[in-house]
Amino acid sequence: ARVEARGTPSADQGSKNQWSSMFVFGDGFVDNGNLPKTDTWRQWSYPYGSYLNSRGSATPVPTGRLSNYWIQSDFIARILGLSEAPPSYRLTPHLSCDPSGMTFAFGGAGVYEVPDKKVPTLATQVNAFTRLLNAGVISKQQLQSSVALVSISGSDYMTGANVENAFLSSFDDIDSYIGNVTTEIAKNVGKLHRLGVRKVLVNNMHPIGCTPLRTSSNNYTTCNLLANYAATVHNINIEHLMGNKNNAHILDLYTAFTDIVNHAPGEGSEQSNNFKRKLTPCCEASTELGYCGQVSPSGERLYDLCKNPDKKFYWDESYPTTAGWEAVTEALEEPLREFLDRDYVP
């Protein structure tokens, strides 16, 4: 499949520095089409990547995004002055790179392999980027105005992650395991810098205990404290490992998400008021073992869809709606722009 090339941003957009190229690594928060179009992956089926609201008249066209339309990387790209996230690696013509960059992220990816998902790890994605750079497909000149986005959002902490590869026998030793995950993230950020990427944005861990996957057991009323503890430990480690890197910036998803879905009464962000039943997904499976987008052999929908996803923060059991991502990005934008405006430190 061929992808249209996009132009670089004009001088009055985004940062005072010209960041006209973006390279994206990680998981489903930023994957815009790398997962294959098979029955195994739902992001290529209605209502993913296409369902704006119940009144939409356009013919649905799924785009491979794990949301109802745009995702985090699209909104970050807009801040840089791009029209949307750069094209996916899988859908890009062989030996070419769009002027806007490339997305290497795969939904479900983590630092370690997840056997039941079989998607490239973060290191594998960075290695693919390295091969294109060494082959001259991605030019050194393009890297001079490049920003990378790295998103690792919790696959390593889900049941089924390959703990054996983490040199631990179980998840009981949670602090050590998280330490290994965050060290690997930092190692890949360092590699991107050494390869010539000028600025790297790194997601910290969102409050994974507040995802509908974790809140469904109590009727979507309260967040899971143990899961949020794991996210907090992860974020302390990331802060420590990234603190001495001049050209890296942590995108504080934990605070942005919490201020919308899990704040104290009378507190929270202004955007929080835009969402109803904040721990409940817009697209919910009809059965306990089902999933959003599932249909029966006869074509019957086995999921329920909310009428207006703009009023829901979560799209499905794990991923935000486009409205949710827009609210999160608004909270991240000011410190992000300040970081992008700082001069590059060799």
Side-chain angles (χ1 to χ4, degrees), residues 6 60 80 83 114 196-197 222 235 289 291 314:
R6 303 114 196 265
L80 297 179
S83 59
V114 182
V197 177
T222 58
N235 293 341
L289 298 178
Y291 55 87
Y314 284 108

Side-chain angles (χ1 to χ4, degrees), residues 72 76 251-253 256 328-337:
Q72 183 193 7
I76 298 296
L251 295 170
D252 188 4
L253 265 58
V328 166
T329 308
E330 186 175 330
L332 302 174
E333 184 168 357
E334 185 176 347
L336 171 54
R337 285 192 182 277

Side-chain angles (χ1 to χ4, degrees), residues 162-184:
N162 197 340
V163 184
E164 184 177 346
N165 280 356
F167 308 108
L168 294 171
S169 58
S170 73
F171 278 109
D172 292 339
D173 195 353
I174 188 168
D175 288 3
S176 295
Y177 181 76
I178 292 173
N180 290 341
V181 171
T182 51
T183 297
E184 187 68 15

Side-chain angles (χ1 to χ4, degrees), residues 162-235:
N162 197 340
V163 184
E164 184 177 346
N165 280 356
F167 308 108
L168 294 171
S169 58
S170 73
F171 278 109
D172 292 339
D173 195 353
I174 188 168
D175 288 3
S176 295
Y177 181 76
I178 292 173
N180 290 341
V181 171
T182 51
T183 297
E184 187 68 15
I185 293 171
K187 185 164 67 174
N188 281 282
V189 170
K191 183 172 182 179
L192 290 171
H193 277 146
R194 290 191 299 275
L195 289 168
V197 177
R198 289 302 178 102
K199 301 264 183 169
V200 182
L201 312 175
V202 185
N203 282 351
N204 72 3
M205 189 67 63
H206 64 111
I208 52 179
C210 295
T211 59
L213 181 67
R214 301 289 183 180
T215 63
S216 60
S217 61
N218 56 48
N219 197 30
Y220 306 115
T221 55
T222 58
C223 299
N224 181 289
L225 294 178
L226 181 60
N228 281 353
Y229 166 75
T232 301
V233 174
H234 177 104
N235 293 341

